[in-house]
Amino acid sequence: MVATILVGMLCAHLLCFAAMFLLISKRLHGKKMGLDFFAVGNLLLGLAYVLQLVEGGPAWSVMSVVNHTLTLASPVAFWLGAMRFFGRPVPLLRPLLVFAALYSLAQVLVQWSLGPVARYAMLSGVSALMFLLMAGTVVYGVRTFAKDLYGEMVFFAALIFGICVLNAVKFVKLLSGGLAALQMDADFQLVFYIYMSFLATVLPPSIIWLVLRRLTDELRNLAARDPMTQLLNRRGLNDALQLYFNSRKAVPAHALMVDVDHFKRINDRYGHQAGDTVLCHVAQVLRHTVRRGDLTGRIGGEEFVAICLDSDVDGVMQLAERLRAAIENQAVAMAGGEQMLHCTVTVGVSHHFMGAQGLEAAMQEADAALYRGKAAGRNRVELAACAQNGLPVQRTDGPSDTTKTVM
């Protein structure tokens, strides 16, 4: 009686959360993050337990075959949903139908050749193997594509491994004790149903928490980035620097201010769409030129900034010159691809600063150097003057400033 109540509650949990997942996924429109797949997984498992209640015990029937197939199709749906959550565009219907057909055929062959105990043992053995692979995938994810979800993924791995262990124990009990091990009021079955009821209560809210966290992270990322170039905005730079300088490995940084020469002339002559193309091109070159770990941002119409971490003045000046030369030498393809535009930039470099609170002063330093470079002819790199310690002003000059079209 206790086992029947537990299974009934398990069915109610699974079916209710299936409906909840489906309703939430509809509100997410184009980016469901696998919630619709998770809804299908809950629905399949809930229906499998409904069939188990109706059937009452081990049997050889169409209902039993469907029950076993739905039980194993559920983790397949969850697996596919997890792939969707991490951005893999996998289908749902075709894999489920192929799996259902193959496993139903396997049940018939095992029942006829090895008997009912082997068929039920196959269900437990395949379940244990599938959940072991899922737990292994989660652990792999912690080390690779899901490092930002370390705590949550470890939690999921532990829960999934628990299902794996219980199914492995059931597999052994079936081989040693036969179908008697599946009596609903047997001690092991009670433990199994209690654990499954616990999972049905804990896992769905945990999945919703993951979706909410991912949505929150994406909103925070949108708020910290320039929508056109995807570089950090001023807020994003401040937040990233705060994290960096709070770490134990933080060392002084330098700021580079980058301004596109004669940008208004480009807009007036070629149109604002061409101007946007130039800005995106400069952003791409900036992103690819800085070293790994450096920060890049756009803080104005045609003004960009790079924060160089863990480098001296000479290294920063060399990087700034590489950036200037790369932008000058790389043509920008206009819409339609029939004309190519060359542009140049002027770069101002600050002296080192320490702490996120020093960013504003460093940017003012670099900005003053940049405008000296503009006044001196543009298309050049200029280091900020340092009147306090008498350091000379340094500069590197490129060729004369050019803004030309190559047809």
Side-chain angles (χ1 to χ4, degrees), residues 229-277:
T229 63
Q230 291 304 303
L231 298 181
L232 295 170
N233 56 26
R234 190 179 292 267
R235 174 182 174 179
L237 285 169
N238 282 325
D239 291 345
L241 273 177
Q242 193 70 50
L243 288 174
Y244 171 73
F245 283 117
N246 285 340
S247 69
R248 295 181 180 180
K249 298 181 179 179
V251 296
H254 293 77
L256 273 66
M257 296 289 292
V258 182
D259 188 275
V260 181
D261 296 326
H262 295 303
F263 184 70
K264 185 177 183 302
R265 186 186 300 172
I266 296 174
N267 271 336
D268 292 343
R269 183 173 179 181
Y270 304 105
H272 289 282
Q273 185 176 359
D276 290 346
T277 302

Side-chain angles (χ1 to χ4, degrees), residues 6 13 32 40 43 49 58 91 94 96 138-139 195 201 216 236 242-243 255 277 280 289 291 341 363 398:
L6 285 173
H13 277 121
K32 301 177 185 294
V40 172
L43 177 63
Y49 278 112
R94 181 176 296 178
L96 282 181
V138 171
V139 172
Y195 188 78
T201 305
T216 303
Q242 193 70 50
L243 288 174
T277 302
C280 291
T289 303
R291 301 160 310 159
L341 176 69
M363 289 175 61

Side-chain angles (χ1 to χ4, degrees), residues 58-60 64 68 107 110-123 174 178-179 182:
W60 170 238
S64 178
H68 288 205
Q107 287 189 75
V110 170
Q111 176 76 24
W112 286 349
S113 59
L114 300 175
V117 174
R119 186 170 70 92
Y120 279 88
M122 180 175 68
L123 173 64
L174 279 166
L179 295 179
L182 297 179

Side-chain angles (χ1 to χ4, degrees), residues 221 224-233 256 258 276-298 304-308 319 322-324 326-327 330:
N221 186 57
R225 292 192 177 273
D226 169 57
M228 184 169 68
T229 63
Q230 291 304 303
L231 298 181
L232 295 170
N233 56 26
L256 273 66
V258 182
D276 290 346
T277 302
V278 168
L279 293 178
C280 291
H281 170 74
V282 172
Q284 183 179 20
V285 175
L286 177 61
R287 189 185 294 114
H288 291 164
T289 303
V290 299
R291 301 160 310 159
R292 184 175 182 180
D294 290 346
L295 305 175
T296 55
R298 180 188 176 206
F304 299 85
V305 62
I307 308 298
C308 299
L319 185 146
R322 287 200 306 272
L323 172 64
R324 184 206 63 77
I327 292 173
Q330 293 184 27

Side-chain angles (χ1 to χ4, degrees), residues 261-262 265 324 328 344-347 369-382 395-403:
D261 296 326
H262 295 303
R265 186 186 300 172
R324 184 206 63 77
E328 182 185 30
T344 62
V345 296
T346 302
V347 184
L370 184 149
Y371 277 96
R372 281 201 309 275
K374 292 278 190 180
R378 295 180 169 85
N379 190 23
R380 58 199 290 122
V381 175
E382 192 94 15
R395 63 176 60 88
T396 63
D397 298 342
S400 60
D401 172 44
T402 57
T403 304

Side-chain angles (χ1 to χ4, degrees), residues 138-183:
V138 171
V139 172
Y140 173 74
V142 170
R143 301 171 62 88
T144 54
F145 56 84
K147 292 181 179 179
D148 59 323
L149 300 173
Y150 180 85
E152 292 89 340
M153 299 299 280
V154 170
F155 175 70
F156 277 118
L159 293 179
I160 294 170
F161 188 69
I163 311 175
C164 170
V165 171
L166 287 175
N167 276 286
V169 172
K170 183 185 286 190
F171 175 78
V172 174
K173 283 183 169 291
L174 279 166
L175 292 182
S176 60
L179 295 179
L182 297 179
Q183 294 300 318

